[in-house]
Amino acid sequence: MQQSQSTPLPSAALPRPALQKRKQSRVALLEELWGYMFIMPWLLGFLIFTLGPMVISLYWSFTKYEFPLPAKWIGLQNFTNAFVKDELFPKALWNTTYYVIFSVPLGLAASLCLALLLDRKIAGRAIWRTIYYIPSITPIVVSAFLFGYLFQPEYGLINSTLTSFGLKGPGWFNSVAWVKPTLILLALWGAGGPTMIIFLAGLQNIPSELYEAAEVDGASRLRKFWSITLPMLSPTIFFNLVTGIIAAFKIFTAAYVATAGGPAYASYFYVLHLFNTFFKDLNMGYASALAWILFVIIMLFTLIQLRFARRWVYYESETANF
Amino acid sequence: MAAISQVGQAPLKAKRKQISLFAIAATTLTILLAILFFFPLYWAIVGSLKRPNELQVIPPLLYPPQPQWANFSEVNKVIPFYRYLWNTLVITVLGSIGGVISSSLVGYGFSSFRFRGRTVLFIILLATMVLPSEVTLIPTYILFINILGWGNTINPLVVPSFFGGGAFSIFLFRQFFASIPKDLNDAAKIDGCGPFRYYLRILIPLSMPVIITLAILWFQYYWNDLIGPLIYLTDQDKATITTGLLALRSTLGGSFSRRGQAMDHLLMAGSLIGMLPSILIFFALQRYFIRGVIMTGVKG
């Protein structure tokens, strides 16, 4: 279109393209208006519920804002307080890190194992898949109750069974040493949920010719898993790892319901601290700073993973190009 | 020839035997794990049918000696539990409708119209997926409670879903609409079908699988949400299933501690009622559940 504009035209032919162009620009304008109209709900929602609150919470994070008293600018004090003054902040950060470090790899391994078990010719596969999946649709409030009941130190089923074998079970949710592992077990109960399904889809996308070729070469089962399944599955593992870490950093409901952060703050996680600062202490300024620190931590972890992804994540299209 | 084939067959046979041993082990493991995963639920069912104090018996009773079906109505006498079920249903249905309608509209806008800033806006939309909701939580709370006066109404939970319905839902709709051949749109245009009619009469009926899948994801989100009802619905009457269960626990006198008669069986009954709708929907629409997860993981 632009080229025809620059080429000189005989004067007699001028009106037609000009008319066409004007008509076309009217059509384009109309299209533009329709487009804006359809995305309007999101655009308004983004401004009112995302961008606006983001700007405001960033501002509040630099203020002393103890609701309902007005906010007062204090510079970086909230951030220095977190790292210097607030004793619960390092505790919450450590508890959360512990939880992320153990629950994410264990959860991924468990989900992958379940997916491998189901990725075979097995009778009643839909039934097993359903049974594995159900824990993940159980509301977390409910699963926290169920685990609290199963792992009750005195009369709970687990410890009673251990007692009948002459063993003494730990205090689980009531024990400083065991409360985080117990919460990790609770997370592992949901390993058969979405993460497993994503692995299963990834496994089923691996072309069977690769396995057939390896079999001709006499590769062992372990070798096939190591040299075909894992590399071919690495994009799926990467996706589950990134989303898993973000979700684990934000653990809240299970701890809030099962332990309320106890005993002795042993399960006091980051978002629990943020929630208490915001909702119990009404310390909006400091809570906003905590939220931004969490955002930065999550962003850093995600960026680091993206950076290292090239080293271990295998993308088929990359090799197909050379 | 015969000798060669014999030689060739021997290790093959051995290998086949090895495979079947492996298969037996794997199948056994599959079944054992299924039992393990199902057990907490079995235990909740058993617990919900027991009588007072029967949950605390040592060694535990592996089945209810006299199933107490009345427990499921007994719960409602302790706290208005069925009312909470209704409250949750209202929020879930309205919120899901809002999310599906608005995200389909926005997805249509992004997929089928050219307008200035479309790419930039779409990138911004995708970027909001990594933003933790905690960052916007406090200002939106002040907005809803202090400026709009929406405390103890369902508005703070339901209204935002009508404004776009979240990046992920929009993304799914956009991808789906973009996969529909443009010829269909052109043909409809020639027949004098405007953009809104095209959306309503052609796109929406075509995208039923996406709609059902998203409706399920929205349902799960609202049904299981704790933080929303916890901060916005502080009035006992307005509670949902999640906050209602917490209230039930504290009413029963601390869930896992004894005080007079232990009433934990009612807590188990309440828990089962609370999760029943999720389970029923899962069984009815399993296909869409799985499909939704795969779309999330593979495309997202």
Side-chain angles (χ1 to χ4, degrees):
Chain A
M1 277 315 279
Q2 275 180 335
Q3 264 192 342
S4 71
Q5 225 175 356
S6 60
T7 44
L9 288 160
S11 56
L14 241 172
R16 258 178 74 93
L19 195 77
Q20 216 169 36
K21 210 182 158 241
R22 203 188 306 153
K23 204 179 156 196
Q24 249 166 10
S25 73
R26 240 187 57 209
V27 169
L29 190 74
L30 204 66
E31 188 181 333
E32 216 165 12
L33 281 176
W34 274 109
Y36 282 125
M37 216 182 78
F38 277 108
I39 69 156
M40 199 44 80
W42 170 74
L43 204 57
L44 287 175
F46 172 70
L47 294 174
I48 301 169
F49 301 122
T50 308
L51 189 65
M54 266 179 90
V55 173
I56 293 169
S57 94
L58 187 64
Y59 167 68
W60 284 349
S61 70
F62 294 106
T63 63
K64 183 183 169 70
Y65 180 21
E66 279 159 355
F67 190 81
L69 300 169
K72 215 175 74 200
W73 183 269
I74 52 168
L76 285 168
Q77 209 178 314
N78 283 328
F79 295 93
T80 49
N81 277 356
F83 290 95
V84 179
K85 220 173 105 191
D86 181 5
E87 282 169 12
L88 288 175
F89 176 82
K91 206 161 226 164
L93 201 58
W94 158 244
N95 285 337
T96 310
T97 312
Y98 178 111
Y99 181 79
V100 171
I101 287 175
F102 287 101
S103 78
V104 175
L106 286 174
L108 284 190
S111 299
L112 180 57
C113 285
L114 292 176
L116 286 169
L117 283 177
L118 291 184
D119 186 40
R120 298 177 308 121
K121 287 188 191 75
I122 180 173
R125 186 158 79 174
I127 299 169
W128 308 123
R129 192 183 64 189
T130 305
I131 294 177
Y132 292 164
Y133 200 88
I134 285 176
S136 74
I137 52 166
T138 307
I140 299 177
V141 177
V142 171
S143 43
F145 281 177
L146 299 191
F147 269 60
Y149 171 33
L150 270 172
F151 286 87
Q152 207 286 337
E154 294 132 48
Y155 56 78
L157 181 74
I158 309 284
N159 276 8
S160 313
T161 313
L162 288 173
T163 311
S164 66
F165 283 106
L167 299 162
K168 187 168 175 355
W172 304 111
F173 285 126
N174 294 352
S175 142
V176 171
W178 280 90
V179 65
K180 284 188 283 279
T182 313
L183 282 166
I184 291 167
L185 275 181
L186 176 58
L188 285 179
W189 188 47
T195 315
M196 181 197 75
I197 299 294
I198 292 168
F199 272 134
L200 204 52
L203 285 171
Q204 281 161 1
N205 277 342
I206 301 175
S208 56
E209 298 93 71
L210 291 177
Y211 291 112
E212 283 155 18
E215 247 157 73
V216 171
D217 291 344
S220 69
R221 198 182 296 281
L222 198 69
R223 179 72 208 230
K224 275 188 284 183
F225 176 73
W226 197 253
S227 304
I228 299 173
T229 311
L230 274 187
M232 292 301 286
L233 210 56
S234 56
T236 315
I237 299 173
F238 178 66
F239 173 82
N240 280 335
L241 183 70
V242 173
T243 52
I245 287 180
I246 293 176
F249 263 114
K250 292 165 69 170
I251 179 184
F252 171 75
T253 308
Y256 181 85
V257 176
T259 65
Y265 292 102
S267 64
Y268 196 67
F269 295 110
Y270 196 96
V271 177
L272 222 50
H273 188 39
L274 197 161
F275 181 80
N276 283 344
T277 310
F278 150 59
F279 199 62
K280 289 219 174 89
D281 308 343
L282 297 177
N283 193 345
M284 307 305 186
Y286 187 48
S288 299
L290 288 178
W292 276 91
I293 295 172
L294 178 70
F295 184 27
V296 169
I297 292 173
I298 287 178
M299 281 305 285
L300 271 179
F301 264 81
T302 309
L303 288 176
I304 289 170
Q305 287 177 88
L306 284 172
R307 176 130 184 83
F308 282 97
R310 304 197 65 159
R311 297 214 185 146
W312 66 275
V313 180
Y314 169 83
Y315 285 109
E316 243 177 311
S317 51
E318 264 174 41
T319 44
N321 280 339
F322 67 86
Chain B
M1 252 332 249
I4 293 170
S5 73
Q6 258 177 0
V7 168
Q9 256 166 11
L12 207 76
K13 242 186 191 162
K15 200 176 177 198
R16 198 168 292 157
K17 204 173 169 191
Q18 201 191 346
I19 286 171
S20 68
L21 251 174
F22 182 85
I24 290 168
T27 307
T28 316
L29 191 62
T30 310
I31 295 167
L32 284 179
L33 283 170
I35 295 171
L36 191 70
F37 273 83
F38 189 71
F39 192 79
L41 282 180
Y42 168 77
W43 204 233
I45 296 167
V46 169
S48 70
L49 294 172
K50 285 180 178 173
R51 285 170 292 187
N53 289 333
E54 275 183 356
L55 255 72
Q56 281 75 8
V57 176
I58 303 173
L61 302 160
L62 291 171
Y63 56 91
Q66 274 181 317
Q68 302 293 304
W69 299 101
N71 285 350
F72 292 102
S73 54
E74 203 71 25
V75 170
N76 204 36
K77 289 179 191 153
V78 181
I79 53 164
F81 200 71
Y82 287 93
R83 188 207 187 108
Y84 300 162
L85 208 62
W86 171 251
N87 292 346
T88 319
L89 196 70
V90 170
I91 293 169
T92 303
V93 169
L94 285 177
S96 304
I97 290 176
V100 169
I101 291 180
S102 67
S103 61
S104 67
L105 286 169
V106 178
Y108 178 45
F110 274 117
S111 73
S112 310
F113 299 93
R114 256 172 299 173
F115 49 88
R116 262 161 285 182
R118 183 172 77 160
T119 316
V120 177
L121 287 174
F122 195 65
I123 290 171
I124 291 174
L125 171 84
L126 293 181
T128 59
M129 279 201 222
V130 291
L131 182 77
S133 54
E134 285 78 7
V135 171
T136 54
L137 178 72
I138 299 163
T140 32
Y141 176 80
I142 301 280
L143 171 73
F144 288 144
I145 297 287
N146 287 78
I147 298 173
L148 296 170
W150 282 355
N152 281 314
T153 69
I154 62 169
N155 292 348
L157 304 175
V158 169
V159 169
S161 81
F162 282 86
F163 286 86
F168 177 67
S169 310
I170 295 171
F171 179 71
L172 270 196
F173 269 117
R174 192 208 93 116
Q175 297 303 90
F176 182 77
F177 292 152
S179 73
I180 294 172
K182 224 178 153 4
D183 305 354
L184 199 63
N185 196 355
D186 296 339
K189 254 187 216 160
I190 291 164
D191 288 347
C193 179
F196 193 73
R197 249 170 72 107
Y198 178 72
Y199 159 83
L200 206 63
R201 291 289 168 83
I202 296 176
L203 286 184
I204 290 299
L206 274 178
S207 48
M208 258 357 229
V210 183
I211 291 174
I212 296 174
T213 303
L214 281 172
I216 289 171
L217 294 175
W218 278 94
F219 171 89
Q220 267 200 301
Y221 167 76
Y222 274 113
W223 197 264
N224 299 342
D225 184 27
L226 174 66
I227 243 180
L230 199 60
I231 63 175
Y232 291 117
L233 305 173
T234 45
D235 195 346
Q236 214 26 257
D237 284 353
K238 305 272 168 42
T240 61
I241 280 298
T242 49
T243 48
L245 279 170
L246 292 180
L248 178 64
R249 179 171 72 176
S250 48
T251 312
L252 291 174
S255 69
F256 312 119
S257 71
R258 289 179 231 196
R259 186 199 279 173
Q261 268 197 330
M263 303 295 275
D264 290 356
H265 59 290
L266 292 186
L267 194 64
M268 289 297 124
S271 299
L272 276 186
I273 300 169
M275 68 178 294
L276 200 64
S278 297
I279 302 265
L280 288 181
I281 287 191
F282 177 70
F283 274 106
L285 301 169
Q286 223 190 104
R287 204 155 48 96
Y288 294 100
F289 250 96
I290 304 298
R291 191 194 183 123
V293 169
I294 292 173
M295 285 201 286
T296 340
V298 176
K299 283 190 175 172

